[in-house]
Amino acid sequence: MSAVTCAAHTLPERSPVSVNGVEIPHDAIAREAQHHPAFKPIEAWQAAAHALVVRELLLQEARRLGMAPVPRRDASGRREAEDEALIRELIERKVTTPEPDETSCRRYYEHNRRRFRSEPIYEAAHILFPAREDSAEDFAAAERAANLVIGELQAQPSRFSDLARAHSACPSAAQGGNLGQITAGQTTTEFEEALVGLAPGTISEKPVKTHYGVHIIRLDRRIEGQELPFELVSDKIADYLRDSVVRRAAAQYIARLVSQAEIAGVVLAGAEAHQVSTSG
């Protein structure tokens, strides 16, 4: 059982949590804890309590201002919950931020050029010797078989395709082990690390282990990533800068509300004050 799922069963009774005299039930906090994974139940409970306190504080402020929710629908047609609409409208009304201009976007681009590169592309082939992830014997047998084939390939590298067709358990065996073009995230971490360490035209000298089994990898070609021009990423930079400013401004606004409220049962300060419940 995970720390989050057992939180409601292991946490001791606590002092009531309330916002300006409105109590937040203990069981509501326990349910909210599922949205705040943590190593210890107490950490999940505290994060959930903070989120629900901020949520209640924002709802109270919106109602004090006489605001009425106008729920929106997303691209899938799902209707926004009224409380969520009210919180969103309050933040939109009270948290005003300037739109990032081209100068700001270009400055961010120039200071973070390494972030704006396309991923390298690898053209590769492999031979897979399968093994059950939980079986050391399977892996040992697969590794022995792979080493025998590596020995054959060291003598005759041109036989890779034939040996892939004969031995590989991957559907790519029909294409001589050819995997086509691969980019980051399309294979396992171990497979990617092996690709990075190979020179084009070479075959792995040792078997490469992944949770699928044992691989022999051949790298045919590496196409290095290219720096993306500003024009191609300017919209993403503007979105990132806009979101960053809004988050900071919202945290400051919530911190002001916290300082004026009577909150019992939890302590909200600093960065904690910007957490809002994800349920609704």
Side-chain angles (χ1 to χ4, degrees), residues 111-131:
H111 291 168
N112 298 275
R113 279 183 174 269
R114 285 183 296 179
R115 294 187 181 184
F116 304 110
R117 295 185 64 86
S118 61
E119 295 287 348
I121 298 173
Y122 300 93
E123 293 179 359
H126 80 144
I127 303 172
L128 170 62
F129 299 85

Side-chain angles (χ1 to χ4, degrees), residues 34 37 54 58 90 110 155 175 178 180 182 195 229-230 270 273:
Q34 67 182 305
V54 171
L58 292 170
L90 176 66
E110 293 297 334
Q175 288 78 46
N178 193 341
I182 301 170
L195 282 176
F230 172 77

Side-chain angles (χ1 to χ4, degrees), residues 30-46:
R31 289 195 302 272
E32 172 68 18
Q34 67 182 305
H35 301 291
H36 305 270
F39 289 110
K40 298 179 180 179
I42 185 62
E43 294 173 355
W45 191 92
Q46 288 173 339

